[in-house]
Amino acid sequence: MADEKKISRQAGTQDHAAFTQSVKATLANAKQKAAGIRRTDSQLFFTNVISPAAATLIGALAAAIGGNNMFQQAASQAEDGGWRLACILVAVFGFIATVSGVIKKQVEDRLTLGNQCVGRLLSLDTAITTGSMSWEDAAKEYGEILKAFSEFIG
């Protein structure tokens, strides 16, 4: 009888250790994915700032000094080629700014969810480490996190 209790206690300890390790691995994975999304968000931020600034600068310079004077090589190859090139560049940079703004909004939403996932996993990990949550409650919370944030877990 005493041997059965000892074996049961050892199995429970191993289950708890495996569960704790699973939570830590999931947390590391979620942190890595959130960091990747954060990098993408930063890149889109810079694109969203640089593109309209470049479009404005090209438009202003073309208006101030003339498109054909600004892009002399293009002007020499076609009538009003410098102006056409200036207008094309302004349109391209404007398009990039518009598209990057839309994508940035979607990435921001994903980043918010990723940060929520990481926060809940950190809270769960702390509760497990400090023993402030029962194993049953911790398992339930972990299951809810896995269900709610499946795109950041796997």
Side-chain angles (χ1 to χ4, degrees):
M1 185 74 144
D3 288 339
E4 287 177 16
K5 284 185 180 180
K6 184 177 178 183
I7 290 171
S8 176
R9 215 174 306 122
Q10 287 175 344
T13 303
Q14 289 174 349
D15 289 344
H16 294 294
F19 176 70
T20 302
Q21 192 58 34
S22 179
V23 169
K24 288 185 183 303
T26 303
L27 174 59
N29 193 22
K31 280 182 177 180
Q32 182 180 16
K33 287 188 179 186
I37 295 168
R38 195 171 296 108
R39 276 190 301 276
T40 301
D41 185 60
S42 294
Q43 292 167 348
L44 286 168
F45 172 78
F46 288 115
T47 301
N48 214 14
V49 169
I50 300 292
S51 291
T56 303
L57 180 63
I58 292 169
L61 288 175
I65 64 175
N68 285 334
N69 292 332
M70 191 170 158
F71 299 107
Q72 292 177 0
Q73 189 173 5
S76 68
Q77 293 180 5
E79 184 179 336
D80 286 334
W83 280 106
R84 285 185 189 155
L85 181 58
C87 290
I88 288 169
L89 289 174
V90 167
V92 167
F93 282 118
F95 178 76
I96 290 169
T98 301
V99 171
S100 69
V102 170
I103 294 171
K104 183 171 180 357
K105 175 62 178 139
Q106 293 172 348
V107 169
E108 284 175 349
D109 293 345
R110 287 192 66 225
L111 181 58
T112 299
L113 287 174
N115 287 336
Q116 288 174 359
C117 176
V118 169
R120 284 183 67 182
L121 284 167
L122 279 170
S123 177
L124 177 62
D125 184 47
T126 301
I128 290 170
T129 302
T130 61
S132 63
M133 183 183 282
S134 71
W135 289 105
E136 293 79 20
D137 289 342
K140 182 180 175 186
E141 172 68 8
Y142 187 57
E144 290 173 6
I145 292 169
L146 292 177
K147 185 177 178 182
F149 301 104
S150 59
E151 72 178 285
F152 299 101
I153 307 299

